[in-house]
Amino acid sequence: MSMKATLRQVDGITVVDMSGRITLGEGCTQLRELVRDQLGKGSKHLLLNLADVTYIDSSGIGELVSGFTTVSNQGGKLKLLNLTKKVHDLLQITKLYTVFDVYDDEAKAVGSFGKAET
Amino acid sequence: MNTEASVVELVLESDLKNVEVAEEVARRVSGTAGFDEEDQHRIDMAVHETLINAIWHGNKNDPSKSVWLRFEIFRDRLEIRVRDQGSGYDPKGVPDPLKDENLLNSSGRGIFLIRTFMDEYRVESQAGKGTEVILVKRLNPNHSSDQ
Ligand SMILES: Nc1ncnc2c1ncn2[C@@H]1O[C@H](COP(=O)(O)OP(=O)(O)OP(=O)(O)O)[C@@H](O)[C@H]1O
Ligand SMILES: [Mg+2]
C-alpha cells in the first residue's frame, strides 16, 4: 500500500487529496515530485488534504516541511487540510503544528490563500 | 491468558518493503502483550523508525546485509531489539529537532519520535558488530491479564 494523490483546482488553488502512506520511499518521492511539478507549472498555492492519510513517518513529516519551505521560497503557500488525529498529534509533538497553516474546512482554507496574498 | 510464545524473532533483508511486515508483527505482538490501540500504534511507529534507520543508516540499503528483530514480552513490559550490520552511532550526538534552528529541517525526527513513543531507547554499538537498539515499553501495572 502506498500513497495516492488526486489533484483538483478550486478557485485557482491546487487541492491535493492524498491517501495512504507518506513514508520513506515511494510516498515521500511522490509528494516531492508533485510539489516540484506544480511549482514548475506556476501553481504556487497548494492545499494538501490529508484526510485519508493512514500513516506518516519522520521522513513524511520532513517531506511536508521541505514542501512548505520550497513553496514559500518561491513566493507561494502550502497549507494543510483535514488532519487525522494521528497526523495532528505528530505535528504537535514535533512543534510543527504552528509552522503550518492548518484548516478543517476546505472553503475557508481555499479562501485564506487570497486574503494572505494582498 | 494465552499460550503464545513470548519471544518473536525476525530476520529481514535490508529492503524498505520489509518495513510493513515488521510493523504488522509489532502491532500483533504489542496487542498480545496487552497494549491498547493507541500504544500499539506508537510501538508500530517506533519499530518503523528504528528499522528504517537500521536499513538506511546502518546497512546503507545493502540487500546483502540484514536486520535482526526480536520482540520479547515480559510480565511488565515489551522489549524490542533491532540489530543492523552497520558501524554504529552515538545517539547523544543527534541534534534536538525541537530547537528553533532545527524546526524546518527536512530530517532528524526519527529518534525523537522513538523516544517520545517508548519508555526506553538504548543503543549498543560495538565496532564490527553493528548497532543494537533496545526499545522498552512498559505495560500499565493494572492492565488486565492472568499472569
Ligand atoms: N542504525 C543506525 N546506524 C547508524 N547511524 C544511525 C542509525 N540510526 C540513526 N543513526 C544516525 O542518527 C541520525 C538521526 O536519526 P533520526 O532517525 O533521528 O533522523 P534521520 O534518520 O536522519 O531523519 P528522519 O527524520 O527521516 O528519521 C541519523 O541521521 C544517523 O546519522
Ligand atoms: Mg530516521
Side-chain angles (χ1 to χ4, degrees), chain B residues 62-80:
Chain B
D62 178 347
S64 72
K65 291 184 174 168
S66 40
V67 180
W68 174 84
L69 258 109
R70 185 176 194 275
F71 298 84
E72 184 163 9
I73 301 172
F74 293 90
R75 189 184 296 225
D76 61 337
R77 68 190 190 280
L78 171 65
E79 207 175 279
I80 304 167

Side-chain angles (χ1 to χ4, degrees), chain B residues 117-130:
Chain B
F117 292 149
M118 303 300 282
D119 294 314
E120 273 178 49
Y121 168 84
R122 276 179 285 140
V123 178
E124 288 172 6
S125 290
Q126 253 176 294
K129 281 197 148 182

